[in-house]
Amino acid sequence: MAALSACGGGKQAAPTMQNDQDSMSYVVGMNIAYNILEMDSTINREVLLMGIEDVLAERAKMSQEEAKEYFLIYMNYGVYERVREYEDKYLNDLVATDKEIMRKPSGLTYKVASVGDMNKIPSNDRDTIALTYRATRLSGEEVDIAAEREDTVRTALRDFIPGLKEGMKLIGEGGKITLWLPSQLGYGGEGLEEKGIGPNEMLRYEINIIEVKKRY
């Protein structure tokens, strides 16, 4: 395999790769960088390079066990916090753009198009609801739909994910509502593979309640 070559001009020439070992070393470095960017594009480049240099010079500031423990905390708790921060900013900005969009303490964000029959609001977990809905990602890509067909969804209130369960209590039979569900009110950190919903994915639902059967 021919070695890669690099030439520098200007302030300082870049290191040249004279043989296959140098080229392979460069390729390994590229692969490491791409993997890092996939994992977290906010990584501090200077500190990252310091970590590599310290390990190669046998002067690492953490033991492997300490590093593993920190990594797990960062990827679990840290990711959770970053997701919440992003969702909060997105939803707060959304509310600011439309005075008819409201946000509840749980994070559920909604816009009522029609309140429907307020004497027939689903409130008991045993109440059954017939509805049509359309679920999309924030990009507008459709992930689930039950609309414009004869067989509507009919199920008990208790069987819905938390955000839908909370949101449908805001309208009655014949009502229409749009819901923005933070991931913790949807499918959480696990997502739902069968519908292509990824971990920590926020969703938008357009709900039309056709019928409510109360259970007292």
Side-chain angles (χ1 to χ4, degrees), residues 84 87-92 94-95 101-110 162-163 166-167 179-186 202-203:
R84 297 293 83 75
E87 291 180 340
D88 282 342
K89 183 179 186 308
Y90 180 92
L91 293 173
N92 285 334
L94 186 66
V95 170
I101 297 178
M102 308 296 290
R103 194 169 184 208
K104 295 178 70 66
S106 66
L108 177 69
T109 305
Y110 64 95
E166 183 180 3
L179 304 172
W180 289 266
L181 273 57
S183 55
Q184 77 271 17
L185 297 180
M202 188 158 49
L203 298 171

Side-chain angles (χ1 to χ4, degrees), residues 2 23 57 64 66 68 88 90 165 169 176 187 210-211:
S23 296
Q64 283 185 288
E66 289 172 335
K68 181 179 179 181
D88 282 342
Y90 180 92
K165 183 177 177 180
K169 292 180 179 179
K176 297 181 180 181
Y187 294 96
I210 306 300
E211 182 183 37

Side-chain angles (χ1 to χ4, degrees), residues 81-124:
E81 288 301 306
R82 291 195 298 279
V83 168
R84 297 293 83 75
E85 182 179 350
Y86 168 78
E87 291 180 340
D88 282 342
K89 183 179 186 308
Y90 180 92
L91 293 173
N92 285 334
D93 289 347
L94 186 66
V95 170
T97 65
D98 189 336
K99 64 181 181 181
E100 294 184 355
I101 297 178
M102 308 296 290
R103 194 169 184 208
K104 295 178 70 66
S106 66
L108 177 69
T109 305
Y110 64 95
K111 181 176 181 177
V112 175
S114 174
V115 296
D117 185 348
M118 299 307 283
N119 292 315
K120 290 186 177 181
I121 295 176
S123 55
N124 187 309

Side-chain angles (χ1 to χ4, degrees), residues 17 109 116 126 145 193:
M17 288 162 274
T109 305
R126 296 173 61 243
I145 187 170
E193 185 176 355

Side-chain angles (χ1 to χ4, degrees), residues 46-104:
E46 286 73 24
V47 179
L48 166 68
L49 295 175
M50 180 195 304
I52 293 174
E53 290 291 342
D54 284 355
V55 168
L56 294 177
E58 298 184 350
R59 57 169 185 260
K61 296 176 175 59
M62 298 181 185
S63 68
Q64 283 185 288
E65 284 302 313
E66 289 172 335
K68 181 179 179 181
E69 181 180 359
Y70 183 83
F71 179 82
L72 290 175
I73 292 172
Y74 179 85
M75 292 305 293
N76 290 303
Y77 179 78
V79 167
Y80 176 86
E81 288 301 306
R82 291 195 298 279
V83 168
R84 297 293 83 75
E85 182 179 350
Y86 168 78
E87 291 180 340
D88 282 342
K89 183 179 186 308
Y90 180 92
L91 293 173
N92 285 334
D93 289 347
L94 186 66
V95 170
T97 65
D98 189 336
K99 64 181 181 181
E100 294 184 355
I101 297 178
M102 308 296 290
R103 194 169 184 208
K104 295 178 70 66

Side-chain angles (χ1 to χ4, degrees), residues 23-40:
S23 296
M24 189 60 190
S25 298
Y26 186 79
V27 170
V28 169
M30 287 179 63
N31 287 335
I32 290 172
Y34 285 128
N35 288 334
I36 289 167
L37 290 174
E38 282 189 20
M39 181 181 72
D40 190 341

